[in-house]
Amino acid sequence: FYHAISGRVPVKDEGYLITRDGEKRVILWSNSAITNEKGEITFIVRTGIDVTNERRYFQKVKESEEKYRTLAETILDGIVIIDFDGNIIFANRTAGEMLGFKNVKEILGRNIFEFICEDFKEKVKRDIKLVFENKGGFLVEYKMRDREGVEFWIEGIGEKIHFEGKDADLLCLRDITGRKLTEESLKISLSKIKGLLNQTVTALSTTIGERDPYTADHQK
């Protein structure tokens, strides 16, 4: 009524209607002003479309997006989404911290190969190609570096997804630097133990052989 008497009629507006059963329905109204010969508005024709189901659908989508976004932001693994050329179009907070960024928005638009160590770039290219051929879903290990050049090991898995209207590669990354260092330390320790064991056995064999020359070959 206000719009009618003031001469300002919105083309569309949204409101609610209550059905006889007490259900609240969302109505999208389209308004047309009818004027007289003087150009004065005499009445308004309102055409309503029930968009309740559509609004409910969009609300569910919004809630779902918020839920997955919360999951992505709170998970302890890094999540990165890249296009076929390796350009980063999404990254969560953990991935940002891995690569040395406090503000995750600084990563968007940069290329993932900036952070892949040289010896692993060709392998990453092959694996991305496999993902876009729907042959992903396998665990891989790469060595990466952050913005300061500090190298670290990651274990990752990639899957092809549809993101913002185009095909993309979702990468889930886990920092395994500590594990790799432990494995390397164990290898070194095992090598030292084997060396010590060999030296001990050799010394014992030599000693016994000197005491009993007839069994020297047997000791060896």
Side-chain angles (χ1 to χ4, degrees), residues 87-144:
N87 298 310
I88 300 172
I89 53 182
F90 173 83
N92 70 346
R93 184 166 48 244
T94 303
E97 292 172 353
M98 275 186 183
L99 300 177
F101 293 87
K102 292 182 178 180
N103 185 354
V104 74
K105 291 182 180 179
E106 295 181 52
I107 306 177
L108 303 183
R110 302 185 71 157
N111 197 284
I112 192 69
F113 288 99
E114 294 180 38
F115 310 102
I116 303 294
C117 290
E118 196 65 35
D119 293 343
F120 293 87
K121 286 186 178 181
E122 289 303 318
K123 178 174 172 55
V124 173
K125 288 178 182 178
R126 290 195 298 269
D127 288 343
I128 290 176
K129 186 174 183 294
L130 289 174
V131 168
F132 278 90
E133 291 174 351
N134 292 311
K135 299 176 183 176
F138 49 89
L139 277 174
V140 293
E141 290 184 3
Y142 304 127
K143 185 179 279 189
M144 300 184 70

Side-chain angles (χ1 to χ4, degrees), residues 25-115:
R25 307 294 295 183
V26 183
I27 308 299
L28 179 63
W29 297 101
S30 296
N31 306 310
S32 300
I34 307 299
T35 60
N36 56 24
E37 296 178 352
K38 298 179 181 180
E40 300 171 335
I41 296 176
T42 54
F43 58 91
I44 298 172
V45 176
R46 285 169 62 81
T47 304
I49 301 175
D50 190 332
V51 294
T52 306
N53 294 335
E54 182 180 342
R55 292 293 182 270
R56 287 174 180 170
Y57 170 77
F58 283 122
Q59 181 62 28
K60 287 182 179 179
V61 170
K62 182 180 178 182
E63 291 173 356
S64 179
E65 287 179 347
E66 290 176 351
K67 189 182 298 182
Y68 283 110
R69 184 170 293 276
T70 300
L71 176 63
E73 291 301 333
T74 55
I75 196 169
L76 296 179
D77 291 332
I79 296 178
V80 176
I81 300 177
I82 60 175
D83 62 18
F84 186 74
D85 296 317
N87 298 310
I88 300 172
I89 53 182
F90 173 83
N92 70 346
R93 184 166 48 244
T94 303
E97 292 172 353
M98 275 186 183
L99 300 177
F101 293 87
K102 292 182 178 180
N103 185 354
V104 74
K105 291 182 180 179
E106 295 181 52
I107 306 177
L108 303 183
R110 302 185 71 157
N111 197 284
I112 192 69
F113 288 99
E114 294 180 38
F115 310 102

Side-chain angles (χ1 to χ4, degrees), residues 179-197 199:
R179 190 178 82 192
K180 296 293 282 189
L181 290 174
T182 300
E183 290 174 356
E184 189 62 29
S185 178
L186 287 173
K187 286 180 182 178
I188 294 172
S189 296
L190 181 59
S191 178
K192 288 181 178 179
I193 290 171
K194 284 183 177 179
L196 181 60
L197 179 61
Q199 291 174 18

